[in-house]
Amino acid sequence: MYKYALILLFTLNAYGTSFNEALEMLSEHQSVKSMLSLSKSSYAKGDGQNSWGDPVLKIAAKNLPEDSLKRDQSPMSGIETSISQKIALTTKYSNMGDSIRAKAKALEYSALDAFRELKVSLWNIVILERKLKEEREILKENFDWLNKIIKVTKKLYVNGKVSGQALLEIQIRKSEVEMKLSKVDYDLLKLTKSLEYLLGEGNGEIDAQTIPWKILKTTSEVDFDYKALALKEKLSAQKLALSASRKNFIPDVTISVGHTKRSNIDGKGDFVSGAISFSIPISSKMYAYKREQSSLHQSALFEYRNYQDSKRRDSDQLEIEYKKIKKDLEILSSKTINFAKDSRAITSKSYGLGNSSYVELLQSELKLQELLMLKSDLLSKRDSIKVQLKYKRGEKLSE
């Protein structure tokens, strides 16, 4: 255990990454960059969707005699050059392009929300690290106290005031505390690996002096609820797509003009031609597409409304839980722990005089340790809830 304790001590005392530096690293996390790349791809796709498409150039040999394939044998023979262009009679392509760009904006907001979620993860890690360090201090103090009690017990045993069982029970209790200390050390080492996943190899320690704990003690101004903004853009995208599907019933018109170069056998010169074509929307394809877009729009609307409702519900529940823990901490800190400390001190003194049993002594010691651990756990839960509340409300999570 002491080997790992020394390793841990070196790690804790080593210079760590500052909290702000860690945030900069999180902004470059692969999960964030992946979504931003998808967003850029969608923006490009949306820009292309506005276009009517490229004009079509056609060159055709027309009415050539089968035997000679010469174009000066018949007045109908010639080489036709034509160009055609599809023209939209509605703004459906503009709607489709705007829809895709709205989806791209939703992805951009989702990337920013992913960054905020990584901030929450970072906060949870530093909160847990603080909790583990507090537990280690509690256990270390208890370990030292048990060492002193063992010395007292040995003297009492020599004087025949306690049995050998008392000494064994206290030594067993000491070994249990030692095991818990070892577990905390390993948990801290595992936490280092979690931090390295977020920040990269070699960045497994945050400089405790740079953590802005004061942020968790106040209600800061609202920044942005990027998740809500992403869902709103998604809804906007589906509304535009639905509008485009309705306009899809008015077909595109393709206009073509052509020129046929002839040999002028009949003295009539070259020919020119023109054409207008469009599809007749009688198949079920466009009707099915409109129903699909209508259903997707309804789904996006329900998703957005449900998020707003669940956000209010979750925020209210978290606020209630936060107030409850805060009240518990006030009682625990101002009363219960002080009583437990006094109880252990009195029992220790009484035990040293041979007036209390080792069972009473260990009970008072264990009770104090449990209460101190409970306080540390409640502090951790309180701050984790505060971080989650800030995330839900769209408040700032950094300075």
Side-chain angles (χ1 to χ4, degrees), residues 325-338:
I325 291 175
K326 191 175 179 182
K327 184 65 177 178
D328 289 345
L329 278 169
E330 288 176 3
I331 296 171
L332 197 63
S333 300
S334 63
K335 298 178 181 180
T336 316
I337 289 178
N338 289 334

Side-chain angles (χ1 to χ4, degrees), residues 212-275:
W213 295 108
K214 62 182 180 181
I215 288 177
L216 304 184
K217 297 179 181 179
T218 59
T219 300
S220 60
E221 63 182 78
V222 173
D223 190 5
F224 288 107
D225 183 350
Y226 291 112
K227 191 168 185 177
L229 290 172
L231 290 172
K232 192 173 182 179
E233 286 295 332
K234 183 180 176 181
L235 176 59
S236 176
Q238 289 305 141
K239 186 176 181 180
L240 287 163
L242 177 59
S243 177
S245 72
R246 289 168 177 165
K247 294 172 182 177
N248 210 28
F249 287 95
I250 300 174
D252 298 336
V253 173
T254 300
I255 297 177
S256 304
V257 293
H259 176 271
T260 302
K261 182 69 176 176
R262 301 193 311 142
S263 60
N264 201 23
I265 294 175
D266 56 2
K268 298 296 183 179
D270 296 340
F271 287 168
V272 293
S273 61

Side-chain angles (χ1 to χ4, degrees), residues 156-203:
L156 292 172
Y157 175 71
V158 170
N159 295 328
K161 292 185 177 182
V162 298
S163 65
Q165 182 66 27
L167 182 59
L168 286 173
E169 290 291 343
I170 296 172
Q171 287 175 329
I172 290 171
R173 177 62 189 150
K174 175 188 170 184
S175 67
E176 289 174 349
V177 172
E178 191 173 2
M179 287 173 63
K180 289 181 179 179
L181 271 169
S182 179
K183 182 181 181 301
V184 169
D185 290 345
Y186 278 109
D187 287 343
L188 280 166
L189 291 173
K190 285 194 294 185
L191 202 61
T192 298
K193 295 301 178 184
S194 297
L195 198 56
E196 285 184 343
Y197 164 73
L198 283 180
L199 307 181
E201 195 71 27
N203 296 296

